[in-house]
Amino acid sequence: MPLKSCPKEHGLNLPLEKPDLSFPGSLKGYVPGALHKDIRVPFRNVRLSTGEAVPLYDCTGPYTDPEAAIDLSKGLPLLREPWVRTRQDAQGHRPFKARPGKTLTQMFYAREGRVTQEMEFAAIREGLSPDFVRQEVAEGRAIIPANINHLECEPMVIGRNFLTKINANIGNSALSSSIGEEIEKMLWSIRWGADTVMDLSTGRNIHETRERIIRNCPTPLGTVPIYQALEKAGGKVEALTWEIYRDTLIEQCEQGVDYFTVHAGVLKKFVPLARKRKTGIVSRGGAILAKWMQIHDKENFLYTHFEDICGILKEYDAAFSLGDGLRPGSISDANDTAQFGELGILGDLTKIARKHHVQVMIEGPGHVPLNRIKENMDRQLEQCHGAPFYTLGPLVTDVGAGYDHVTSAIGGAMIGWLGTAMLCYVTPKEHLALPDRNDVKEGIIVHKIAAHAADLAKGHPMARAWDDAMSCARFEFRWDDQYALSIDPETARRYRESVFPKNLAAHRCCTMCGPDFCAMKITQEIK
């Protein structure tokens, strides 16, 4: 006799609108705002055979059909334009910027006690109260990366008291890829669950590539401005100047970049420490600045001009992602003096940025063995005053070439449980080659699993509801529901139907146990 079906209440009661063809069995639903009636927050609503509906966090924007032709020249609807226009602190038309003497950052509004549309939007996505989001942003424990010129962006929040997010890196290089390929990677990334995207383009057409990506990107977009600045300097490190960097930063702010990796903590005194390592400096930005300092015998111009950078980001409500230019690139270099010396400087810079009401998150390692991960999280919280931590992995071993998405996800799950707010995905081709779309999907999926595992360990109710729904579907042999609830429904269905054809999809066993030895089937027969 089957046990009683699982309860059908799993959170939000979503008004349903249209099928989400990217995920069969799902419908795209929208929840209206309570404080701001002009917002509609998307969810992927999984409709199960029992009649229950399981709402899942959705960051795919308006894209619901992976096979539909998309006119990339039009861009997405300008979701946030009316919000920005009604704020008296903004001026002109896009590119918007703050009026003289005005501040329009999310941190400033939060400190003033004002719940913006972006805050309520992010709160509904998290299943939390808008005022809680406001408090976390006001205290600097969370950020809402939302440049006032990225009007297409659906707001989200990054902080350790929220769902663990993941970032996907894309971008062309001097050796490979094109604008079309990078836009495809962006669309592919958000389809599989990337919460933010970073454009790390270093080859030709950087401005045009970024413009096309931003106009079609519903998630926050980040960049590393020094890459384009170096291109403007003809690829010659010695020709880099503060003026070139400043103009590049303004250019990208006007386009709508939401957050910037700024390697302002790589100081002259740390470079000799990095020379003693097995793998030296593995950050591109960190290596560029180390070489610049050696050539000119001057301090890092991003450090000496840090308050100028704050002033620029403040005008557009762009956020800092303070870069870890001295992150360890090997297990033997983990937690060394160079890494933690830079971390202390990033903590000092965090206080300066907050003085300007500019939002900050801190980038972290890198390659770190399991037994040394906790020290990274503890030190970051202490030295960087609770700012959100955004980590690459950490990769827990150096010997996973071809599988470094796995070595990264192992460390990511652990550091996410300990308090990291966002994980930067790693693909199977890390250290080996520029990833293609299949590598991007694999990297995202394993890091979504790591992030979700961290959320379960942290006790986030939305994470637990998702797992409970899957557990019930599994126990009751509801195979279609299991596919729909999977992080990767396509792969789950393909594996099962490669053994059991569709007409046998309801078969009450798997091939591991078979019909006579299935523990769950036997349990259901116990009276």
Side-chain angles (χ1 to χ4, degrees):
M1 175 183 295
L3 299 183
K4 184 178 180 182
S5 294
C6 290
K8 301 181 180 181
E9 295 79 18
H10 280 285
L12 299 169
N13 182 19
L14 289 181
L16 304 180
E17 294 207 340
K18 55 186 177 182
D20 188 338
L21 300 181
S22 293
F23 295 95
S26 295
L27 292 167
K28 178 85 80 170
Y30 294 86
V31 174
L35 301 177
H36 300 284
K37 304 299 183 183
D38 55 344
I39 68 175
R40 297 167 68 248
V41 182
F43 282 84
R44 178 162 69 88
N45 210 24
V46 182
R47 299 292 294 179
L48 303 182
S49 60
T50 58
E52 67 182 315
V54 182
L56 302 181
Y57 192 106
D58 179 80
C59 50
T60 59
Y63 302 114
T64 57
D65 185 353
E67 304 302 325
I70 299 172
D71 185 351
L72 298 174
S73 64
K74 289 184 178 180
L76 296 178
L78 303 182
L79 171 73
R80 297 174 56 229
E81 184 173 40
W83 310 349
V84 173
R85 287 195 179 280
T86 56
R87 291 174 189 157
Q88 300 303 307
D89 303 321
Q91 67 177 5
H93 302 276
R94 190 158 71 178
F96 291 104
K97 66 185 297 186
R99 294 181 183 276
K102 294 288 186 178
T103 302
L104 43 61
T105 70
Q106 294 295 318
M107 174 171 267
F108 175 77
Y109 291 139
R111 288 171 167 176
E112 292 286 303
R114 177 173 171 179
V115 175
T116 63
Q117 288 96 334
E118 288 85 354
M119 293 176 202
E120 185 180 18
F121 196 107
I124 293 173
R125 293 184 112 171
E126 299 280 339
L128 300 169
S129 77
D131 197 61
F132 179 72
V133 173
R134 183 198 64 77
Q135 291 175 19
E136 292 293 287
V137 173
E139 295 296 328
R141 289 189 294 266
I143 68 169
I144 298 176
N147 184 317
I148 59 171
N149 290 308
H150 191 182
L151 303 175
E152 302 86 353
C153 181
E154 295 179 347
M156 50 84 77
V157 61
I158 301 171
R160 69 180 183 277
N161 292 319
F162 302 98
L163 290 167
T164 307
K165 309 303 190 298
I166 71 160
N167 169 72
N169 291 335
I170 62 172
N172 63 357
S173 75
L175 299 177
S176 180
S177 193
S178 65
I179 294 176
E181 287 174 295
E182 294 313 314
I183 293 175
E184 183 185 28
K185 283 183 194 174
M186 181 272 291
L187 296 173
W188 192 241
S189 296
I190 63 172
R191 176 188 176 186
W192 291 111
D195 297 286
T196 75
V197 175
M198 287 202 79
D199 175 21
L200 305 183
S201 295
T202 58
R204 298 177 179 177
N205 305 314
I206 293 179
H207 181 95
E208 184 182 355
T209 300
R210 185 173 55 246
E211 179 68 21
R212 295 281 295 278
I213 290 171
I214 291 177
R215 301 286 75 87
N216 292 280
C217 185
T219 70
L221 184 115
T223 67
V224 186
I226 202 163
Y227 296 169
Q228 187 180 11
L230 184 59
E231 291 287 337
K232 290 180 179 180
K236 298 179 179 178
V237 172
E238 63 271 20
L240 269 174
T241 64
W242 157 245
E243 288 74 21
I244 292 175
Y245 185 91
R246 177 198 61 205
D247 293 346
T248 301
L249 189 62
I250 293 171
E251 171 191 338
Q252 295 191 14
C253 281
E254 290 183 345
Q255 280 188 291
V257 174
D258 300 289
Y259 65 93
F260 295 98
T261 293
V262 179
H263 298 95
V266 182
L267 304 187
K268 282 179 63 178
K269 63 184 179 180
F270 298 141
V271 176
L273 300 175
R275 290 198 193 105
K276 300 176 183 178
R277 293 170 156 184
K278 283 191 181 297
T279 49
I281 299 174
V282 298
S283 159
R284 286 191 293 196
I288 290 167
L289 289 162
K291 185 175 179 180
W292 186 91
M293 289 186 286
Q294 182 182 52
I295 291 170
H296 294 282
D297 193 25
K298 291 182 179 178
E299 189 55 272
N300 181 350
F301 61 81
L302 299 182
Y303 178 77
T304 58
H305 287 277
F306 188 76
E307 295 223 40
D308 297 316
I309 297 173
C310 290
I312 294 169
L313 301 195
K314 179 180 177 180
E315 288 190 297
Y316 301 93
D317 194 13
F320 276 111
S321 181
L322 290 178
D324 54 340
L326 298 175
R327 68 176 179 268
S330 59
I331 292 300
S332 66
D333 295 339
N335 297 22
D336 68 356
T337 307
Q339 178 196 343
F340 285 146
E342 180 189 29
L343 185 66
I345 298 299
L346 298 185
D348 296 338
L349 297 177
T350 296
K351 289 166 53 173
I352 295 172
R354 288 176 177 174
K355 182 182 68 175
H356 292 272
H357 307 294
V358 177
Q359 301 181 96
V360 179
M361 62 180 170
I362 308 294
E363 296 186 11
H367 292 239
V368 182
L370 283 170
N371 60 308
R372 307 194 75 181
I373 287 177
K374 186 176 185 299
E375 183 184 5
N376 280 264
M377 193 70 245
D378 291 344
R379 286 205 182 210
Q380 191 273 343
L381 288 173
E382 178 186 355
Q383 296 184 354
C384 298
H385 320 291
F389 207 18
Y390 163 32
T391 61
L392 180 71
L395 286 72
V396 296
T397 177
D398 296 341
V399 299
Y403 297 89
D404 274 330
H405 57 318
V406 178
T407 66
S408 173
I410 292 169
M414 183 172 184
I415 204 166
W417 166 47
L418 293 171
T420 282
M422 186 160 75
L423 308 176
C424 185
Y425 91 147
V426 167
T427 75
K429 285 190 180 142
E430 182 79 5
H431 304 112
L432 302 173
L434 194 69
D436 61 22
R437 60 183 279 154
N438 292 326
D439 303 316
V440 167
K441 176 185 173 181
E442 281 204 46
I444 289 172
I445 293 297
V446 297
H447 286 81
K448 288 294 287 186
I449 294 170
H452 181 69
D455 292 334
L456 282 170
K458 291 192 299 185
H460 197 293
M462 288 183 69
R464 178 60 185 271
W466 187 1
D467 271 60
D468 286 348
M470 173 61 96
S471 299
C472 291
R474 184 168 290 155
F475 187 70
E476 296 168 5
F477 300 101
R478 291 185 274 114
W479 300 105
D480 284 338
D481 289 350
Q482 291 180 55
Y483 307 148
L485 288 165
S486 297
I487 286 181
D488 181 0
E490 288 182 354
T491 299
R493 180 180 292 275
R494 185 176 73 251
Y495 282 169
R496 176 159 178 82
E497 292 185 355
S498 68
V499 179
F500 289 105
K502 278 191 175 182
N503 60 342
L504 293 177
H507 206 75
R508 297 177 69 81
C509 69
C510 68
T511 55
M512 181 172 289
C513 295
D516 297 326
F517 292 90
C518 176
M520 289 192 292
K521 181 181 177 183
I522 294 171
T523 301
Q524 292 180 18
E525 293 171 350
I526 298 174
K527 304 233 176 145

